Amino acid sequence: MKKIGIVGAGISGLVLASLLKKNGNYQISIFEKDNLINKNINGIQVSPNATKVLNKINFNIFDKNKFYSLNGINFYDCSSNKKIATMNLNYLQENSYIALNRNDLISFLLKEFSLNENLIQKEVIEIDRQSIKFKDNEKLSFDTLVIADGIFSKLRSKKNKNILYSGYSAFRGFFNTTYQKNHVDLWMGKDFHLVNYPVDKKQNNSFTLIKKMSKIDEISSYGFEIKNFYNDYKNMLPIGAHDIFQTSQVTVWPIYKMKNLYYGDDYNVFI
């Protein structure tokens, strides 16, 4: 039985672990340094192709009240505060375009294949071929290593020196409305755009604001909170987009780019 080490218990790491555990021919260990539920408080959109993959690990039995099938995308111009186009998604019959809370998807993946049995809450600080090293200097070896530790990956940056700040950062938060939205709203402005969408059937919504800005050097995790979001951005966004200011917490993180994509080598795989 091959030993597989997965570094990072985000969506990609847990989906891979679920597929491998369902197969039954692999001994799996998942390494994660953060609290899984608390670090992911935002929404995620799932395309029809992604749903087909998730259905292989029983997503078809996921609670339908905990996701929302999106009917379309409305495009808005921030300078005029007007809708400029609509893209209809109703043609997606077999597998719709859906959105849900990341926490709910992570909880489902952990429970469905009992992945807590495979989860080890330790920080990996170094990889050497098929071996990993922890902060306490303990080392473990595997037949294959999969590195899925997200945008703050120190392991990836050691392998690929061409990871650069893109000049843009992402602000994310949750808010509740008094009515049930059924579509994505995309607001486009100069050097920024805002996306918000429903994530369940309880009027809960998620938003992401992508903005050109200087990098905030203090950010080192997904939980970096912005305290004055409303005061800083109320004048930048048109009134039609102000429902996002109902959020109680906004986090921000940098968006990186790579000159050359690095997928790994003969000993490990980066996803």
Side-chain angles (χ1 to χ4, degrees), residues 26-255:
Y26 301 94
Q27 181 180 335
I28 308 161
S29 298
I30 311 166
F31 303 95
E32 173 59 52
K33 64 183 178 65
D34 293 324
N35 183 307
L36 284 183
I37 301 301
N38 288 342
K39 81 170 187 177
N40 287 311
I41 62 169
N42 301 293
I44 182 172
Q45 298 178 42
V46 181
S47 71
N49 285 338
T51 300
K52 290 178 181 178
V53 174
L54 289 174
N55 284 343
K56 294 181 182 295
I57 48 177
N58 305 337
F59 185 71
N60 54 297
I61 67 171
F62 187 85
D63 185 349
K64 290 179 172 53
N65 289 314
K66 291 185 176 181
F67 69 80
Y68 203 89
S69 296
L70 300 165
N71 293 342
I73 305 173
N74 292 327
F75 297 85
Y76 294 88
D77 172 44
C78 283
S79 61
S80 65
N81 196 25
K82 292 182 178 180
K83 185 194 294 187
I84 56 177
T86 296
M87 178 185 292
N88 194 316
L89 298 177
N90 289 333
Y91 67 91
L92 300 171
Q93 299 292 332
E94 184 178 350
N95 287 305
S96 59
Y97 192 90
I98 67 172
L100 66 159
N101 189 320
R102 285 176 181 267
N103 278 344
D104 291 335
L105 181 54
I106 286 174
S107 296
F108 173 81
L109 294 171
L110 288 171
K111 181 179 179 180
E112 188 62 22
F113 288 93
S114 303
L115 293 182
N116 279 315
E117 299 174 355
N118 308 88
L119 186 63
I120 301 169
Q121 198 148 357
K122 295 185 73 173
E123 181 178 1
V124 177
I125 62 169
E126 188 177 318
I127 56 174
D128 181 16
R129 295 191 175 189
Q130 292 131 299
S131 297
I132 58 175
K133 180 181 178 182
F134 302 102
K135 272 189 172 181
D136 59 5
N137 289 322
E138 179 188 3
K139 292 184 179 181
L140 293 175
S141 296
F142 299 88
D143 295 301
T144 302
L145 278 176
V146 180
I147 315 302
D149 56 346
I151 64 170
F152 295 103
S153 173
K154 295 178 181 177
L155 303 177
R156 191 184 302 268
S157 61
K158 288 178 180 178
K159 290 286 186 179
N160 185 358
K161 303 300 183 182
N162 294 316
I163 298 177
L164 305 170
Y165 177 55
S166 68
Y168 289 82
S169 289
F171 298 80
R172 303 194 73 174
F174 247 57
F175 64 97
N176 188 270
T177 54
T178 57
Y179 61 96
Q180 183 68 61
K181 296 176 60 174
N182 60 9
H183 53 268
V184 178
D185 285 337
L186 172 56
W187 293 84
M188 296 176 291
K190 181 177 173 54
D191 294 331
F192 74 90
H193 70 267
L194 168 70
V195 181
N196 66 69
Y197 51 89
V199 295
D200 57 28
K201 295 180 175 67
K202 299 179 180 178
Q203 293 91 49
N204 290 313
N205 301 268
S206 180
F207 76 85
T208 303
L209 171 66
I210 307 295
K211 186 179 183 302
K212 186 176 183 179
M213 59 186 294
S214 299
K215 183 182 176 184
I216 303 174
D217 292 328
E218 292 84 355
I219 301 176
S220 59
S221 71
Y222 290 98
F224 190 90
E225 188 174 352
I226 295 294
K227 298 296 185 182
N228 299 309
F229 183 69
Y230 173 73
N231 290 331
D232 291 343
Y233 296 103
K234 63 180 179 179
N235 295 325
M236 184 185 80
L237 296 173
I239 294 296
H242 277 205
D243 50 0
I244 70 168
F245 292 124
Q246 299 175 59
T247 185
S248 60
Q249 182 186 39
V250 178
T251 56
V252 61
W253 59 78
I255 299 172

